[in-house]
Amino acid sequence: MSKVIVVTSGKGGVGKTTSSAAFAAGLAAKGHKTAVIDFDVGLRNLDLIMGVERRVVYDFVNVINGEATLKQALIKDKRVDNLYILPASQTRDKDALNKEGVESVINELKEDGFDYIVCDSPAGIERGAFMALYFADEAIIVTNPEVSSVRDSDRILGILQSRSKKAEEGGTIKEHLLITRYSPNRVEGGDMLSMDDIVEILSIPLIGVIPESGAVLQASNSGNPVILDTESTAGQAYSDVVDRFLGEEVALRFIDAEVEKKGFFKKLFG
């Protein structure tokens, strides 16, 4: 049975698209037929992070408007079997999305045998974000360890619990918390909220903590989902997130501050 997962947050710049790309690639690498849809109409970044920007001919809005078929618009990833990307339009605005059109595309993906449909939501609470979360079965709430990001995530949780299709039908969306750009040393220094603080504030289950890592920017610039960089701490942490989502018990990594390694003279003279 297909599952629709929205990757969302209230604040921009927290790593939603990076997380959507890594999460979708991880699911596909595990053998699950996976589509990832860019809902950020007008901006469109998912195709860049996935490295398929030159292969975009038709987009999500073209499919909704009947200007192209879903098969024409879907881009098959060349690195990971079972992974497909549906890009957003750069030339339309978010009003081009409507419930009927989005539902039609999601239903067609389900009929085509996709196990997971990952919806990469734009930031905020406007139309694109609402469309991304409306049909979700599960939600990954992405937040940075800072007060404004956590507060905005709390607002998104309220919308998920009140305005989604599941909420309208009396059900609930299963929620997961993903903390990104986490620096244990900065937490210890009092510059960031701790993992425990964030979990306490948002009160939803933690699915993963992604450490602050230069590999994320490097992967984005090269058009490779960071989960494919198995040597990086961020890539390993995203891989753990996928395993946890699929039901495995995996311990959290990269959450403890490193002890400062003192040089010889510091040890000698204190």
Side-chain angles (χ1 to χ4, degrees), residues 68-107:
T69 66
L70 181 58
K71 283 184 172 63
Q72 286 177 303
L74 277 175
I75 300 169
K76 190 178 189 306
D77 193 271
K78 291 181 177 179
R79 297 151 302 193
V80 184
D81 284 339
N82 303 308
L83 180 59
Y84 296 79
I85 301 100
L86 182 57
S89 170
Q90 261 186 320
T91 58
R92 316 286 180 100
D93 61 32
K94 291 174 176 62
D95 289 336
L97 298 180
N98 57 72
K99 281 184 186 177
E100 295 75 19
V102 172
E103 185 173 30
S104 174
V105 169
I106 287 174
N107 286 341

Side-chain angles (χ1 to χ4, degrees), residues 24-262:
L27 289 171
K30 291 280 187 179
H32 302 284
K33 191 176 181 183
T34 305
V36 55
I37 306 175
D38 190 349
F39 276 78
D40 204 355
V41 176
L43 291 177
R44 200 178 90 186
N45 286 316
L46 180 66
D47 56 308
L48 283 169
I49 287 178
M50 300 291 287
V52 298
E53 68 278 7
R54 292 185 185 89
R55 296 171 59 198
V56 176
V57 178
Y58 295 110
D59 57 53
F60 191 13
V61 175
N62 290 141
V63 179
I64 286 175
N65 290 342
E67 298 157 354
T69 66
L70 181 58
K71 283 184 172 63
Q72 286 177 303
L74 277 175
I75 300 169
K76 190 178 189 306
D77 193 271
K78 291 181 177 179
R79 297 151 302 193
V80 184
D81 284 339
N82 303 308
L83 180 59
Y84 296 79
I85 301 100
L86 182 57
S89 170
Q90 261 186 320
T91 58
R92 316 286 180 100
D93 61 32
K94 291 174 176 62
D95 289 336
L97 298 180
N98 57 72
K99 281 184 186 177
E100 295 75 19
V102 172
E103 185 173 30
S104 174
V105 169
I106 287 174
N107 286 341
E108 190 173 344
L109 288 168
K110 289 178 177 179
E111 289 164 10
D112 287 346
F114 280 87
D115 300 308
Y116 294 104
I117 300 158
V118 179
C119 301
D120 178 30
S121 171
I125 54 173
E126 40 62 44
R127 188 172 185 81
F130 174 67
M131 287 296 157
L133 66 81
Y134 184 73
F135 295 100
D137 299 304
E138 302 194 28
I140 295 176
I141 316 299
V142 184
T143 189
N144 291 161
E146 56 183 61
V147 173
S148 62
S149 179
V150 174
R151 182 192 63 188
D152 289 351
S153 293
D154 205 21
R155 190 169 184 194
I156 286 293
L157 285 171
I159 294 171
L160 283 165
Q161 292 158 5
S162 61
R163 295 181 60 194
S164 63
K165 189 169 189 286
K166 275 197 176 294
E168 290 174 357
E169 293 171 348
T172 56
I173 290 176
K174 187 176 181 181
E175 298 155 342
H176 310 274
L177 174 62
L178 178 64
I179 302 171
T180 53
R181 295 180 181 164
Y182 194 75
S183 170
N185 288 339
R186 291 180 66 191
V187 170
E188 197 163 272
D191 299 325
M192 277 186 174
L193 291 173
S194 74
M195 176 184 74
D196 292 335
D197 289 337
I198 299 167
V199 171
E200 186 177 346
I201 292 166
L202 296 178
S203 299
I204 59 172
L206 181 67
I207 198 170
V209 178
I210 311 301
E212 205 162 28
S213 168
V216 173
L217 181 60
Q218 191 176 354
S220 296
N221 287 338
S222 63
N224 287 299
V226 69
I227 197 170
L228 302 181
D229 181 1
T230 56
E231 298 298 313
S232 70
T233 55
Q236 293 170 44
Y238 274 117
S239 183
D240 290 349
V241 168
V242 173
D243 288 341
R244 290 188 199 101
F245 180 82
L246 295 173
E248 294 182 37
E249 286 191 21
V250 183
L252 288 168
R253 295 191 276 176
F254 319 118
I255 57 171
D256 297 319
E258 292 179 8
V259 178
E260 184 186 354
K261 293 174 181 173
K262 292 187 177 181

Side-chain angles (χ1 to χ4, degrees), residues 18-32:
T18 295
S19 298
S20 295
F23 183 64
L27 289 171
K30 291 280 187 179
H32 302 284

